[in-house]
Amino acid sequence: MGFDLLFGAVAEVMSSGSLIYVFIGVTLGLCFGVIPGLGGTTALALLIPVTYSMEPLDAMYLAGGVMGATSFGGSITAILINTPGTAPNAATTFDGYPLAQQGKAGLAIGASATASAMGGLIGLFTLLLFIPLAKEIVLLFGPAEFLLLTLLGLTAIAISARGKLLRGLIAGGLGLFLAFVGTDMITGEERYTMDFNYLWDGIPLVPTLTGMFAISQMIELALKGGSVASGGDDGITRRITDLWSGVAAVFRHWTVLLRGSVIGTIIGAIPGLGGTVASFIAYTSTVQASREPESFGKGNIVGVIAPESANNAKDGGSLVPTVAFGIPGSAETALFLGILVLHGIDPGPTILLDNEREIYGLIVALTLSAVGASIIGLLLARWLVLITFVNVHILVPVVIAVSLTGVYVLEGKPGDVILTLIMGILGYIMIRFDYPRLTLVIALVLGDTAERSFHMTQMISDNQMWSFMLGRPASVILIVATLLTFFLPFARKLISRRARQGA
Amino acid sequence: MKCKWIGSSLLAVMVAFAANPAAAEWPNDKPIKFIIPYSPGGGFDTIVRAFVPALEKALGAEVVPENIPGAGGTKGAATVARAAPDGYTIGIYNMPGFTVSTLTGKDLGFELDKVTWLANLATESYGIAVKGDSPIKTFKDLCSQGRPAKLSDTGASSTSSIVAKISFQLIDCPLVNVTGYKGSKGAMIAVMRGEVDGTLKPVSSLGKYADSGDLRIIATYTDKAMVDGAAATGEIGYGELSKFNLRRLIAAPPGLPDDIRKRLSDALLEAANSAEIKEWAAKAGVTLDPVDSDGAAKMVSEIDGFYGQYKDFVAAK
């Protein structure tokens, strides 16, 4: 049934002149994605007033175009200059940037483009399949499951810091500490705000991430000099020949693609966790499942495919709560619902019945956008790669100026700019002393949810948390997953040692 | 579509000039900013957007809604209170929300008793909703389960949380208020999930989810029944509870000249009494309660007195 409506929506977008809105959205989304500090949320927030005078359906096409294109745009920056263009691309830097340094940026961009497009398609396909069950899926995840998911995420931190466990834990601990800053959700007390009103709402994600990655990376580059791909050896040519082998790599590693997409869809469907966590968990689980985990972080193409497929698949997932109850699954879907409100549509539990055209219009636009952005990206890759050969004296000021502007535009708070700079310096110190930066960011994201859902679970279970969780199937699955994540590496080590002894 | 909109506002401006050639430049110098201290989509946003066309017609001037969310609505409210008192900035205020905030000792960034009150647009009653298939049928069922009733809510200092805590204590009903849910919709979904017994929210917010059968309203904080199947607290012996409600008041900066205050107030009332707005309110389940400038000021001082009684309770949380 869902598919009939989908075909109707496809026919509608093709037959009218509305395709142009999808195209404008994709172009805007790519640009906002590429620029660090700006992302899909900023693009949509700036677009809201523009859509006021448009037909609701055209506004959906525009929004879908933007949403589907930003995360691929962001991967380009992540790969080329080690700076995630949008928050969810942070995990892509781990292996994307080493590839660029080795002169294989084309391979990485090819893989990222394909993984984004395929991930987007898989996510939306899953959404269409599960629309009839959307309500049940949303009701499956209560505070107990939120708490367990954050624990799973925090466990993944320890795993991701392979070989640098202590440093990973220190960075994670610092992130958790930062997550405590702000008003306590349960008691309303202020914590560690040091009488700054700015800190009332806590430490915001986008300025932290932009500082940690964009600013610190620019400091690093400026001090090093040269250009990104001037790693010293002269063997690097400016031609990109690997683009298509990047595309092929995605299909060769189809299990990675599928796992990334499934993780992206599931985490996308859970309001509040978002793409950064989705791509991080996709990355760590891929490292874990790999037979040669030590090859990651040095330019393993699989390390690009996993987070990028999760990234785009989460858009499909984040529409699950939207079609079920008219609530947003992500910051982008919140703005999408905002656009509906501006057009006099108040989203509620019957949104799928009342606003069928808009929802399916958005799904079609997202699909076209995921594929379209990747095609545009593949076509432009040849020129984009030249960025890695630009002298840092030109690159650094441009990136710093643009990302600080981006951070300011999002909420219009000068405090965000100052925080970005502070985080930039902290990030640079972490680069120098080899501490993982994403670990801090992930802990910051998870800390707030973890604490809140811990208190909530305590209250709803009458302080019988453990037996309460064991009575919920989704919770039990998450507990098992967390235990596996934690013990699998040890078990594997043990097995390989036994095997070696046996031989 | 844009051209049509510019055309009609131009026409409105021209009509206003023709009808009132001797009037001062206000309100036609520039558009009037109508500040909404919350993000698009909530009750305050919806009512402002519904009122703007009718208000433009009544004033003969351009009115532009602007969302300034942040700090629980105090950022937008402070923007209004600090603007120049020239009649070009007005805003919608959440009462008793801001009164409750001051009682908890929060610094609003402006003085609530100094702002100029223009009108009250709507008064929303609170209702308690349980899961669609819950065995709980009445308020009494909710309170006599052998354990405290569990309600879901957003923040511990949100208006509905405070109302829940005060009102349940007034009727001696033990309560565990589970806070931390994202938005009022998040709190309602917690009820559907079954982890709490119910939630206390304005009836207009509950309506859609009650219509779809996901929730069922068991009681409303009113004197007379307003929802089928839900008892009015006034009729089940909890008369004092109907004093708790949510008012959507319009305010302007302190020191607004009297003539402008009068004209804005009249225009707001004219809009509230127009056929379009009445029709919209009926459809959206909003209870219009138009009150003029003086009445609104009186309302605010009553709210102050009423919640002042519970000052210690609110401050202790």
Side-chain angles (χ1 to χ4, degrees), chain A residues 20-32 38-56 58-70 332 335-336 338-340 342-343 362 409-410, chain B residues 2 40:
Chain A
I20 185 76
Y21 290 106
V22 181
F23 184 73
I24 295 173
V26 170
T27 314
L28 274 174
L30 273 175
C31 295
F32 274 73
L38 293 177
T41 346
T42 331
L44 286 175
L46 293 176
L47 276 178
I48 280 191
V50 180
T51 64
Y52 202 49
S53 57
M54 289 166 57
E55 290 295 317
D58 290 342
M60 291 302 99
Y61 295 148
L62 192 63
V66 171
M67 277 168 74
T70 42
E332 281 95 347
L335 288 163
F336 152 70
I339 294 176
L340 285 185
L342 285 191
H343 286 94
L362 181 74
V409 165
L410 188 60
Chain B
K2 186 137 200 178

Side-chain angles (χ1 to χ4, degrees), chain B residues 23-180:
Chain B
E25 305 84 46
W26 189 87
N28 297 320
D29 266 355
K30 52 182 180 184
I32 295 174
K33 258 197 255 175
F34 201 150
I35 290 175
I36 306 152
Y38 302 95
S39 316
F44 287 92
D45 179 73
T46 321
I47 195 170
V48 169
R49 291 188 187 277
F51 259 78
V52 162
L55 184 61
E56 284 186 326
K57 212 161 100 188
L59 269 179
E62 193 186 334
V63 180
V64 181
E66 186 180 334
N67 299 83
I68 305 186
T74 52
K75 192 179 169 196
T79 310
V80 177
R82 289 181 196 152
D86 55 6
Y88 285 108
T89 310
I90 60 175
I92 190 158
Y93 274 41
N94 169 359
M95 296 298 268
F98 296 143
T99 312
V100 166
S101 291
T102 50
L103 289 178
T104 58
K106 201 172 169 191
D107 176 18
L108 295 182
F110 66 97
E111 285 175 71
L112 191 58
D113 51 356
K114 296 270 164 55
V115 299
T116 310
W117 298 102
L118 296 176
N120 180 55
L121 297 188
T123 300
E124 310 265 356
S125 302
Y126 282 105
I128 293 179
V130 298
K131 197 177 171 179
D133 57 6
S134 165
I136 297 170
K137 303 272 184 244
T138 64
F139 211 143
K140 291 235 159 63
D141 290 350
L142 182 67
C143 296
S144 48
Q145 302 179 82
R147 59 165 174 82
K150 269 185 220 159
L151 296 188
S152 57
D153 217 319
T154 51
S157 43
S158 69
T159 320
S160 47
S161 270
I162 303 274
V163 167
K165 279 181 258 180
I166 300 175
S167 61
F168 273 60
Q169 203 186 42
L170 280 178
I171 62 168
D172 258 334
C173 176
L175 168 73
V176 174
N177 198 40
V178 183
T179 54

Side-chain angles (χ1 to χ4, degrees), chain A residues 48 52-55 135 138-143 185-189 197 200-201 272 325-327 338 341-342 346-350 354 411 413 448-449 452 456 459-462 468 472, chain B residues 1-2 5 40-42 45-46 49 52 65 67 70-71 74-75 106-107 147-148 150 153-157 176-182 185-186 189 192-193 195-196 208-209 212 214 317:
Chain A
I48 280 191
Y52 202 49
S53 57
M54 289 166 57
E55 290 295 317
K135 278 197 174 178
V138 175
L139 293 182
L140 217 54
F141 289 92
M185 278 300 284
I186 306 298
T187 64
E189 305 288 332
N197 286 6
W200 274 10
D201 295 331
F325 292 109
I327 58 166
V341 169
L342 285 191
D346 186 16
T350 51
D354 303 341
E411 299 235 1
K413 286 187 197 162
D448 175 58
T449 313
R452 187 154 36 90
M456 290 163 78
M459 281 195 271
I460 58 178
S461 67
D462 300 308
F468 179 79
R472 297 176 60 92
Chain B
M1 187 164 168
K2 186 137 200 178
W5 169 71
D45 179 73
T46 321
R49 291 188 187 277
V52 162
N67 299 83
T74 52
K75 192 179 169 196
K106 201 172 169 191
D107 176 18
R147 59 165 174 82
K150 269 185 220 159
D153 217 319
T154 51
S157 43
V176 174
N177 198 40
V178 183
T179 54
Y181 290 99
K182 288 246 159 99
K185 284 182 180 166
I189 285 169
M192 298 173 207
R193 232 172 1 233
E195 63 211 27
V196 291
K208 282 197 166 189
Y209 294 84
S212 67
D214 292 311
K317 276 178 289 195

